[in-house]
Amino acid sequence: LAISAKIDEDRLSVHEDNNFNRRRLGSPKKRCNAGFVTCIDGWLPDRSRTCDDYCNGKCCQGTNACANFTGSICKDSSCIGEDSCRDARVGLIVDGCIGKG
């Protein structure tokens, strides 16, 4: 379940986003063979480690690269660069989000 918000006529409207798990950033033809890291607000689901820490240099590199990120990231050098995936809410990132956010 994902929640999306948008400002509309000075009011905040919130709705369930049924397409959240189908969203993908990065190369549409590439598959992830390196494994995934699933993040909720920049942390592993059990809140034991940050996604940056868990990636161990294989993703989420750079200052705040995955801060507050929610979704799954392929450990293929995705989310590399300062703020590259910060605050994003994406179902899956494969071979994407390279460079400063």
Side-chain angles (χ1 to χ4, degrees):
L1 172 67
I3 304 279
S4 294
K6 66 178 182 175
I7 303 294
D8 186 16
E9 297 178 17
D10 298 324
R11 295 185 344 203
L12 181 67
S13 66
V14 179
H15 65 279
E16 186 174 325
D17 186 347
N18 294 321
N19 293 316
F20 178 78
N21 288 327
R22 290 187 285 267
R23 288 190 182 152
R24 174 181 162 139
L25 289 180
S27 175
K29 295 183 180 181
K30 291 199 176 181
R31 294 181 183 234
C32 180
N33 296 319
F36 291 97
V37 176
T38 298
C39 307
I40 299 173
D41 294 326
W43 291 82
L44 297 181
D46 67 3
R47 310 273 305 161
S48 64
R49 296 165 70 181
T50 65
C51 291
D52 298 23
D53 181 48
Y54 187 80
C55 280
N56 195 28
K58 296 180 179 169
C59 54
C60 296
Q61 292 181 17
T63 304
N64 293 316
C66 291
N68 299 312
F69 172 80
T70 297
S72 294
I73 306 164
C74 184
K75 293 190 277 183
D76 63 353
S77 296
S78 288
C79 296
I80 303 296
E82 182 181 336
D83 298 325
S84 56
C85 293
R86 183 179 187 157
D87 299 321
R89 302 285 186 260
V90 179
L92 174 62
I93 297 175
V94 177
D95 190 31
C97 297
I98 311 299
K100 188 173 179 177

